[in-house]
Each structure stands twice: as structure tokens, then as C-alpha cells.
């Protein structure tokens, strides 16, 4: 079992892999495909054990449990860090449904279809893999109202959160030490108890993003040497009640972000390829489509306005380079809002 702990605002799993949860602009769900939205800074993350008396006993299970605060309809993306000389296989789920395939969560890897990422080279994941070269953005929604991907795929809605399994390679597949050109082994990252239902992730607007095929093959990974993490999502009121702290302010909406001339991002990674989209996930309805069915007045189409986005093109890191979240971050003023 890999060691799991918090380090510099990231969850570190094993010796090299780490993950951050980045606040971002929620892209409009208007049928258009948007460039990569920016990172507006990491969400604060806490170990459930530090607040154990305020959570259900089930939050202290086999996995390592942490929690982050999010506002309703707020979006996030996941930033991965790792060692280029010793990559990891990484599975991501929401409500125990695989984010790449939509299948039920299992404690193993599958190649057909590929239900995991390889980090490096995969730098980020912004949403559910619903089409060729696109994902539907991760958007936080309260459990129990039928908006989560978990609800759409299972007909039930009680797990919520984000689940992560990280696997080491089998012994001898990769070097245990960095090559001589790397000066340090430190690797920068690529970019009330009964009333605690938490939040889940629904499907938002469309974002351009590839999920890279495994270049090493599934036989590379040691399924007996893994670390498991469960990230619970609290709304702002729950977060204040548990921690006594204020959650981060809400990020700008896409229209305001564009009007201020802030950049979006495009990653040149075409040579990396893209795993096939899941038929199950391709049929997902977005939060806005579900709202239009449930509450027609609330389901009006979002818009980013008429301002043309400024797009900064990013070079994909080579296999012998470390990565950093910073190329995709943008620090700007934000306004506080409610959970609605």
C-alpha cells in the first residue's frame, strides 16, 4: 500500500505522484467547445482525521479521506505531478463511476477500454471523457437532486466526491533514481454528522482535452502496490461549520473573464493521441440540460458573450521534462457569491 499524505496543498500518493484540485472558470454549456480554462489557484484541502468528530464514521475507511470546499455549480480541474523517469497509472472516478469510461469503480486497471491515465505525460483532467478530444467539465452539484453523473449512470446518488487510485509500476520497469541530468529528486507538479450529504460532480460545458493512451502497456503496472484516496466535497456552509474558516471566493464567470481580456489555454499535444470516448459517457446530459428538464425557467442557455477569447498556446512537456501547474494559472480579482 502506497503512503498517502498532504504536502504543500497537494495530495501525495507514493514517492512521486501528487494531485492538486484547481479552481477554474466554469465554461458555458452552450454547445461550443472551449479552450482549456485557467487555474485560479488550488482549492484548500484537509485531512478528515483532523476533524474526525464532525464526520460520519464511514469517512474514515480503507481509503485515505480528505475534503475540499466548493460552491454549487463551481468547476475544478485536476493537476497531476510525477517523475518522468518513474510514471504512475492513475484512475479517477466521481461517485465511484470511472471518469473515462463511466463504468463502475473497480480496484484494478483495464486496457480495453483504457480506464486510467499515465502520469506523466498526462498533465491535467478537466472533466468526463465524453467525445473525441473533448471532456465535459467537472461541476459541483449537491447530492439528492439528480444532477450528478453518478445519478445519471446508476439511478442512485449517495457516494459523491472524487475517488483516486494510483498504481506503481512493477519492479524493474523503470529506474528508481532520476537520471544524472536531474539535480534533485524533488519533482515539480505538472501543473453536523447526520446531515453531511456532501456534493458530487455533474457534467458541465465542453472543453478541448485529450486523454493519452498508455505508452507502456497495462502489464507495466503493479496492481498489488497502490494507494487509494477519497476526496469529499463540502459546500461553503458545511466547510465553515467544520473548519471555522472561510472558503475561497467564487471564481469569475466565463463572460466576465473574457470581457477582462484574461487568457484561455491551448495545449499542443496532438502527437500524444487520444483514447476512444466511452459510449456510456457520450450520452451524459449536462447540468444545464437536466435543469431545463426539471425547472424550465432555470435551464436557459449560458453564454460567454461576444468577446473573442485570448488563447495562449502551451507546449507539451517532453518525456524528460518536469511540469508545473503555473503555465495554466491566472491570478485575478474574484467576487464572493452564494452556493446558488
Amino acid at each position: 500500500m502506497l503512503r498517502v499524505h498532504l504536502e504543500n496543498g497537494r495530495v501525495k500518493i507514493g514517492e512521486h505522484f501528487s494531485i492538486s484540485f484547481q479552481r477554474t472558470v466554469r465554461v458555458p454549456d452552450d454547445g461550443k467547445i472551449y479552450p482549456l480554462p485557467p487555474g485560479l489557484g488550488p482549492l484548500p484541502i484537509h485531512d478528515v482525521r483532523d476533524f474526525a468528530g464532525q464526520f460520519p464514521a464511514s469517512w474514515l475507511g480503507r481509503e485515505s479521506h480528505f475534503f475540499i470546499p466548493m460552491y454549487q455549480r463551481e468547476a475544478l480541474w485536476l493537476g497531476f505531478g510525477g517523475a518522468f523517469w518513474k510514471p504512475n497509472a492513475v484512475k479517477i472516478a466521481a461517485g465511484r463511476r470511472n471518469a473515462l469510461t463511466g463504468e463502475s469503480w473497480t480496484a484494478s486497471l483495464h486496457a480495453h477500454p483504457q480506464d486510467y491515465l499515465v502520469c506523466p505525460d498526462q498533465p491535467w483532467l478537466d472533466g468526463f471523457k465524453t467525445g473525441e478530444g473533448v471532456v465535459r467539465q467537472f461541476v459541483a452539484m449537491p447530492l439528492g437532486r439528480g444532477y450528478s453523473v453518478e445519478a445519471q449512470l446508476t439511478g442512485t446518488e449517495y457516494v459523491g466526491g472524487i475517488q483516486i487510485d494510483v498504481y506503481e509500476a512493477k519492479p524493474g520497469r523503470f529506474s528508481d533514481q532520476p537520471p544524472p541530468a536531474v539535480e534533485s529528486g524533488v519533482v515539480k507538479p505538472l501543473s453536523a454528522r447526520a446531515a453531511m450529504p456532501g456534493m458530487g460532480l455533474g457534467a458541465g460545458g465542453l472543453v478541448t482535452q485529450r486523454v493519452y493512451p498508455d505508452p507502456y502497456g497495462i502489464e507495466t503496472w503493479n496492481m498489488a502496490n497502490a494507494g487509494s484516496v477519497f476526496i469529499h466535497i463540502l459546500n461553503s456552509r458545511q466547510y465553515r461549520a467544520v473548519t471555522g474558516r472561510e472558503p475561497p471566493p467564487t471564481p469569475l464567470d466565463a463572460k466576465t473573464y473574457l470581457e477582462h481580456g484574461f487568457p484561455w489555454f491551448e495545449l499542443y499535444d496532438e502527437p500524444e493521441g487520444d483514447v476512444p470516448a466511452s459510449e456510456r459517457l457520450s450520452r451524459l446530459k449536462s447540468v444545464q440540460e437536466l435543469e431545463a428538464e426539471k425547472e424550465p425557467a432555470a435551464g436557459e442557455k449560458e453564454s460567454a458573450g461576444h468577446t473573442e477569447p485570448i488563447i495562449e498556446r502551451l507546449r507539451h512537456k517532453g518525456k524528460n521534462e518536469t511540469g508545473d501547474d503555473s503555465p495554466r494559472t491566472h491570478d485575478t480579482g474574484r467576487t464572493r457569491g452564494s452556493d446558488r
Side-chain angles (χ1 to χ4, degrees), residues 15-218:
E15 187 177 1
H16 300 299
F17 178 81
S18 67
I19 183 170
S20 67
F21 303 86
Q22 294 285 331
R23 308 177 70 231
T24 191
V25 173
R26 180 166 59 91
V27 305
D29 183 16
D30 55 6
K32 299 178 183 177
I33 300 175
Y34 285 84
L36 293 165
L40 300 178
L43 287 158
I45 186 162
H46 306 274
D47 193 320
V48 165
R49 292 173 297 182
D50 294 336
F51 302 88
Q54 303 192 56
F55 291 117
S58 60
W59 287 31
L60 296 166
R62 178 185 66 85
E63 302 144 308
S64 297
H65 289 246
F66 302 91
F67 66 92
I68 57 175
M70 293 187 74
Y71 293 93
Q72 183 171 316
R73 296 181 177 82
E74 184 176 5
L76 87 163
W77 53 264
L78 312 181
F80 306 124
F84 66 80
W85 66 89
K86 196 171 184 182
N88 293 92
V90 182
K91 289 183 71 172
I92 305 291
R96 296 205 185 280
R97 304 301 293 196
N98 191 287
L100 304 188
T101 67
E103 299 294 334
S104 297
W105 188 249
T106 60
S108 60
L109 303 175
H110 300 90
H112 305 291
Q114 181 178 315
D115 63 356
Y116 61 95
L117 313 166
V118 178
C119 304
D121 285 336
Q122 188 79 37
W124 313 298
L125 186 65
D126 283 62
F128 300 97
K129 174 68 175 169
T130 56
E132 182 179 351
V134 296
V135 298
R136 277 203 177 271
Q137 198 174 30
F138 293 134
V139 175
M141 293 297 288
L143 295 179
R145 300 185 189 178
Y147 290 110
S148 71
V149 168
E150 175 188 353
Q152 289 193 62
L153 296 181
T154 70
T156 61
E157 196 173 33
Y158 63 90
V159 178
I162 303 167
Q163 295 78 45
I164 304 154
D165 274 2
V166 176
Y167 297 84
E168 291 283 2
K170 293 176 181 176
R173 295 280 179 163
F174 301 108
S175 173
D176 289 329
Q177 300 298 325
V182 180
E183 295 179 1
S184 168
V186 177
V187 182
K188 292 184 180 180
L190 282 180
S191 353
R193 186 175 299 205
M196 189 67 71
M199 302 180 80
L201 294 179
L206 296 168
V207 175
T208 299
Q209 189 169 67
R210 289 181 173 86
V211 173
Y212 308 151
D214 180 358
Y216 308 107
I218 194 168

Side-chain angles (χ1 to χ4, degrees), residues 260-321:
H260 280 76
F262 298 135
W264 298 63
F265 298 91
E266 183 177 277
L267 180 65
Y268 178 72
D269 61 353
E270 188 171 346
E272 299 293 327
D274 187 32
V275 301
S278 157
E279 182 180 351
R280 184 186 295 266
L281 290 182
S282 70
R283 297 194 298 264
L284 283 180
K285 294 180 180 180
S286 68
V287 168
Q288 183 161 299
E289 289 171 323
L290 292 171
E291 283 183 332
E293 293 176 359
K294 297 171 186 287
E295 307 172 61
E300 298 178 3
K301 276 209 168 185
E302 301 172 299
S303 171
H306 303 290
T307 306
E308 285 296 316
I310 297 172
I311 298 176
E312 292 189 8
R313 288 174 170 80
L314 304 176
R315 181 177 65 87
H316 185 263
K317 296 285 186 182
K319 290 189 182 297
N320 293 330
E321 298 177 89

Side-chain angles (χ1 to χ4, degrees), residues 44 46 50-51 54-55 67 69 196 234-248:
H46 306 274
D50 294 336
F51 302 88
Q54 303 192 56
F55 291 117
F67 66 92
M196 189 67 71
L234 307 188
N235 66 34
S236 59
R237 290 184 293 275
Q238 292 169 331
Y239 183 77
R240 289 188 194 98
V242 169
T243 67
R245 305 173 190 176
E246 284 296 314

